[in-house]
Amino acid sequence: MLDGARRSRELSALSGSEPIDLLVVGGGITGAGVALDAASRGLRVVLVERRDLASGTSRWSSKLAHGGLRYIVAGQIGVAWESAVERNRLFRHIAPHLVQPMTFVIPAPPAVRTQERLLGRVGMGIADTLRAASRTPAVLPPTRWVGGEQMRTLLPMLQQRREAALHVDGALEDDARLVVAIARTAASYGATILTHCSARDLHATGGTIVDELTGETTDVDARCVVVAAGVWSGGLVADVPLQPSKGAHLLLRAESLDSPSCAFNIIVPGTRNRYVFAVPRPDGTVQVGLTDDAVDAIDDEPEVTLTDEKFLLGTLSSGLTREVTPADVVGRFAGLRPLLRSSDERNPADLSRRHALLDRDGVLVIVGGKLTTYRAMAEDTVDRVVQRLGCGGACATRTLPLVGAGRVADAASLPPRLVRRFGAEAAQVAACGPAEPVAVGLPMLKCEVGWALAGECAVTVDDVERRLRLDLVPAWRAAARGYIEEVVDGSVR
Ligand SMILES: Cc1cc2nc3c(=O)[nH]c(=O)nc-3n(C[C@H](O)[C@H](O)[C@H](O)COP(=O)(O)OP(=O)(O)OC[C@H]3O[C@@H](n4cnc5c(N)ncnc54)[C@H](O)[C@@H]3O)c2cc1C
């Protein structure tokens, strides 16, 4: 359990301590994954995050643990294979409670040539082959093709009545929740997880840690340093070949799309293979994405512009029987992909989704990649750390379950939201407070607030909002704020 008292204790213990084995900078999916991989190999690890766990890109993803269909289309079969293998591990061993199958209806583009149609089928065939070869369980069945009538039954709001592929992929309950589960699992193996602590002046054997809550600084000696700071890595070490790319999403009320039971893609008018997708979320919204635009400014919270919104709503409306408008939008979010710059090309579609492990004057930097493949990135990184240190065991994370994975005792007696989000820990969460909404009409429960503070490193009101994902919809945040402030101030606990 990670609470504020443990944070203070562990932070104080750092000053003047023996050198640790590994300092990890960044508490997104990559840093949390590295901390878990290293701690589970027996290394002494400290992870520092300048704000909160998953406060960067890792909470603004599309929340898909995907098999890399789009990489197949781009001819990057190696990247797709790695995705398929890691998706399988998430489903089977690592976090079966946090990943669910999601059917995508992918209509054939209008008026494509026979050759292109054949290529589409070949792509799906390769995706199915990778899925089968990675021994993914039967919850992800092979792609099926359906005709116009079945399309009408599945998604009455779709205009198109041509054939479509039903492609099943992995959808995460919540990207930020996955990060928190990884970090807590790392802590269970002895890692120190310090949020609201930023790193600066890094060098091969340590750096300075600033407690962002008090301003105090501590010098940390480490035998190895790994920077996993996503798009912010270039601010910590020189010469990181990144080209950030902004991706924007909208959240629509599910009723505005007749509460679809599956996800669907709509082709961007005038293109042959660019889609906007709509994915139903467990919180009663439908997530619509995605833009992909190279940017130079690295904002802490990138904005969804009017142009982004017009593009997403316009494309969606072009494929529906009625128009969706800004009045249907309840939330907007954007994130910056830490893409590797692979050539001089400024088109992000050509930038690699591969990851790279760099050595900058002895500091290791892990960049690129994606949420689905965080574990493989962590394994590569810690293999190098172990090689450098000459100690530490073999990688254990391929089948290592995260906290919450495993059988949920007495699931039927627990609120379904808790079972979905906390798995085997649901009963413990329920014991942290009333199982009633944090505000009228919201799905988030008061006991989740108590749990976030008692066990999940939440220190501030913002942190608690992030744990419950109130940060996704401004109206949710406003409705729950009073209650959360009271609890954080300690007046209700
Ligand atoms: C719009 C969008 C959609 C995506 N969808 C998917 C998807 O569906 N599936 C998928 O697999 N991938 C997806 N991705 C990719 C995936 O989200 C990212 O690759 C991944 O989240 C990057 O994680 P990270 O840990 O490297 O970076 P981040 O999550 O950004 O973490 C870096 C952390 O470092 C911290 N930090 C920075 N400076 C310091 C410092 N000085 N000291 C301490 N801490 C510091 C930051 O606060 C931050 O929390 C998507 C990306 C985007 C942008």
Side-chain angles (χ1 to χ4, degrees):
M1 299 291 278
L2 301 175
D3 63 6
R6 175 170 167 161
R7 174 186 178 278
S8 310
R9 219 171 37 243
E10 292 189 333
L11 189 51
S12 312
L14 262 190
S15 54
S17 73
E18 289 289 299
I20 55 170
D21 291 325
L22 177 63
L23 173 65
V24 182
V25 179
I29 192 109
T30 310
V34 170
L36 172 58
D37 201 293
S40 60
R41 298 194 203 201
L43 299 181
R44 282 189 60 216
V45 182
V46 173
L47 177 149
V48 291
E49 161 55 50
R50 68 184 173 139
R51 297 167 82 195
D52 181 25
L53 293 173
S55 56
T57 302
S58 298
R59 71 175 151 141
W60 302 133
S61 80
S62 303
K63 300 161 183 55
L64 301 173
H66 55 76
L69 191 57
R70 61 171 293 191
Y71 312 125
I72 294 172
V73 175
Q76 299 180 356
I77 306 293
V79 179
W81 169 244
E82 188 178 56
S83 290
V85 168
E86 294 302 326
R87 177 185 62 180
N88 175 55
R89 290 183 170 136
L90 283 164
F91 265 101
R92 264 184 196 279
H93 310 287
I94 297 175
H97 60 307
L98 291 178
V99 55
Q100 299 296 330
M102 173 65 69
T103 301
F104 281 78
V105 176
I106 309 178
V112 291
R113 288 187 288 267
T114 313
Q115 194 190 4
E116 284 172 319
R117 186 158 295 185
L118 261 176
L119 274 178
R121 290 214 174 221
V122 169
M124 294 289 183
I126 294 174
D128 283 342
T129 306
L130 298 184
R131 180 191 48 74
S134 61
R135 305 215 314 275
T136 304
V139 288
L140 294 191
T143 307
R144 283 191 302 129
W145 295 84
V146 293
E149 262 322 297
Q150 265 180 289
M151 286 269 293
R152 193 190 308 272
T153 318
L154 267 172
L155 293 167
M157 279 227 15
L158 274 194
Q159 247 180 41
Q160 176 172 316
R161 297 286 168 245
R162 284 182 305 280
E163 66 166 7
L166 299 191
H167 178 76
V168 187
D169 216 324
L172 290 166
E173 166 68 27
D174 174 10
D175 43 9
R177 180 132 300 283
L178 178 64
V179 176
V180 172
I182 298 168
R184 284 191 51 235
T185 310
S188 78
Y189 280 87
T192 296
I193 306 291
L194 296 172
T195 56
H196 299 285
C197 285
S198 56
R200 66 172 200 219
D201 304 331
L202 293 174
H203 49 85
T205 56
T208 302
I209 308 303
V210 184
D211 180 347
E212 295 293 341
L213 301 178
T214 63
E216 280 173 31
T217 60
T218 309
D219 290 330
V220 175
D221 293 327
R223 299 172 65 212
C224 195
V225 175
V226 168
V227 170
V231 289
W232 295 277
S233 299
L236 286 158
V237 282
D239 194 20
V240 182
L242 283 181
Q243 173 55 67
S245 152
K246 192 183 87 171
H249 287 95
L250 304 176
L251 290 174
L252 270 57
R253 284 179 300 106
E255 309 84 71
S256 65
L257 294 170
D258 292 348
S259 304
S261 57
C262 51
F264 57 92
N265 287 12
I266 304 241
I267 194 146
V268 176
T271 71
R272 284 189 173 276
N273 60 7
R274 192 173 167 208
Y275 292 91
V276 160
F277 58 76
V279 185
R281 300 283 312 149
D283 57 18
T285 62
V286 175
Q287 176 182 282
V288 177
L290 181 70
T291 61
D292 197 342
D293 298 308
V295 292
D296 293 322
I298 302 179
D299 299 324
D300 277 357
E301 305 227 351
E303 287 200 347
V304 176
T305 62
L306 216 54
T307 312
D308 297 331
E309 182 159 333
K310 272 190 178 159
F311 164 74
L312 293 172
L313 289 180
T315 305
L316 192 61
S317 297
S318 73
L320 300 178
T321 51
R322 66 168 186 268
E323 199 186 359
V324 281
T325 70
D328 298 312
V329 178
V330 294
R332 300 161 176 82
F333 62 88
L336 299 178
R337 300 176 186 84
L339 299 187
L340 277 178
R341 194 192 294 273
S342 52
S343 67
D344 287 335
E345 214 32 274
R346 292 261 318 164
N347 176 5
D350 293 336
L351 292 168
S352 177
R353 261 62 173 176
R354 287 192 173 81
H355 64 267
L357 181 59
L358 315 167
D359 184 331
R360 294 290 177 264
D361 296 326
V363 174
L364 294 178
V365 188
I366 175 76
V367 280
K370 53 195 172 297
L371 212 80
T372 311
T373 54
Y374 79 90
R375 199 214 56 80
M377 295 167 69
E379 180 179 341
D380 283 358
T381 308
V382 181
D383 279 350
R384 181 83 70 88
V385 171
V386 163
Q387 196 184 33
R388 191 179 277 187
L389 298 182
C391 67
C395 176
T397 53
R398 293 178 184 190
T399 53
L400 190 150
L402 301 183
V403 291
R407 204 180 73 81
V408 185
D410 216 3
S413 69
L414 292 162
R417 174 178 164 91
L418 297 189
V419 175
R420 264 194 354 253
R421 295 178 67 78
F422 301 96
E425 293 190 317
Q428 278 171 271
V429 180
C432 281
E436 52 190 57
V438 286
V440 180
L442 298 194
M444 300 83 188
L445 304 177
K446 287 183 174 173
C447 55
E448 293 177 71
V449 178
W451 175 256
L453 291 164
E456 293 193 327
C457 295
V459 183
T460 67
V461 169
D462 280 357
D463 298 351
V464 173
E465 289 173 345
R466 222 171 276 119
R467 295 293 174 280
L468 276 65
R469 295 321 306 260
L470 288 158
D471 59 328
L472 290 171
V473 174
W476 294 349
R477 189 177 213 159
R481 181 143 275 228
Y483 175 76
I484 290 170
E485 278 176 354
E486 270 183 64
V487 182
V488 172
D489 288 350
S491 53
V492 170
R493 257 194 297 170

